Amino acid sequence: MAWFTKTRKPIAPTDKVSRVPEGLYLKCPGCSQLIYNKDLAANLAVCPRCAHHFKMSASERLAMLFDGAYAVHDADLVSTDPLEFTDTKPYKTRLETTIAATGMKDAVMTATGSLDGIETVIAAMEYAFIGGSMGVVVGEKITRAIERAHALGAPVVIVSCSGGARMMEGALSLMQMAKTSAALARLDRAGLPFISVLTDPTTGGVTASFAMLGDLNIAEPKALIGFAGPRVIEQTIRQKLPEGFQRSEFLLDHGMIDMVVDRRELKATIARALLFMGARRSEPPGPSAAAALGVDAAGETA
Ligand SMILES: [Zn+2]
């Protein structure tokens, strides 16, 4: 259960003395119902009543998609604060506090393992790390992950969750757009598949580079996906934006993405697509996403 409870805040305690232990229930922002934590965990952090998709951490994503153990790459790469940037506080301090809070050195995890028996390189972005922003380290780790897949002859899956380029690294962060895109072009020339998974939110320089370059671009339901935010666009064009603008379903209707897939179907959908695109299983088919997390249908942790 620890994989799940540690990343979501419990409901604030009331003044009344409660017999329910703290953190046992969560309030769903989609339907305002109280959800038993175990029910949510058994459901891959999707509300059982209204299918609201809660955010997942990078490590939860990897655990959900891989069949079992996986090898993490480049976990020690860390930003050097090349511009010695300061906004409301020094970037160096911001990095230090975020590293301490998340236990990660930057906003992406990259790893190799089996996805339903297919050897796959997966990158998962971490929103809790400065809004999942892409700086030099994120760009370098994603590029290395793609190059590693290229050398292995394996497909790539990138799960995006990002506010865009990391402004504290200025133009260096923008260069990561070109760098990751160039690596993906080489992967494409080698005939290896890349599946992009866009989750809530995927915006800015991430949308404007690798997140939209998948052979298949899959979004989770109701995810915010766009370049500039809706408020900025409204102020610029002085027009009211249509209902559901920049959400997955709207983008599917307008041809910006290929599929909207419920998280509970995501692993099976990715595996099916990879096999269709010519990937081969090197191991027998793996367990379902929920089973890979050690959670059975009743919500009990194995
Ligand atoms: Zn709900």
Side-chain angles (χ1 to χ4, degrees), residues 28 31 47 50:
C28 172
C31 62
C47 173
C50 73

Side-chain angles (χ1 to χ4, degrees), residues 114-174:
S114 275
L115 187 156
D116 206 17
I118 307 161
E119 186 180 41
T120 307
V121 178
I122 304 180
M125 301 190 78
E126 176 58 67
Y127 197 76
F129 199 105
I130 317 186
S133 52
M134 173 166 66
V136 169
V137 172
V138 168
E140 177 66 17
K141 283 178 79 170
I142 286 178
T143 303
R144 286 188 191 185
I146 298 163
E147 288 173 347
R148 190 169 277 115
H150 193 170
L152 289 169
V156 174
V157 174
I158 303 178
V159 184
S160 295
C161 187
S162 173
R166 189 170 300 167
M167 289 302 124
M168 302 83 157
E169 295 185 12
L172 294 169
S173 69
L174 301 180

Side-chain angles (χ1 to χ4, degrees), residues 27-33 35 46-54:
K27 190 171 181 178
C28 172
C31 62
S32 304
Q33 299 278 319
I35 314 168
V46 176
C47 173
R49 293 191 182 87
C50 73
H52 173 81
H53 283 49
F54 286 79

Side-chain angles (χ1 to χ4, degrees), residues 18 27 36 38 120 193 212 215 231 233 258 275 301:
S18 168
K27 190 171 181 178
Y36 189 36
K38 276 190 172 181
T120 307
M212 282 294 179
D215 294 304
R231 235 177 325 159
I233 299 174
D258 301 304
L275 292 170
T301 308

Side-chain angles (χ1 to χ4, degrees), residues 215-236:
D215 294 304
L216 199 59
N217 296 324
I218 302 174
E220 285 195 334
K222 294 185 182 157
L224 175 74
I225 299 162
F227 183 64
R231 235 177 325 159
V232 174
I233 299 174
E234 251 174 2
Q235 282 164 9
T236 308

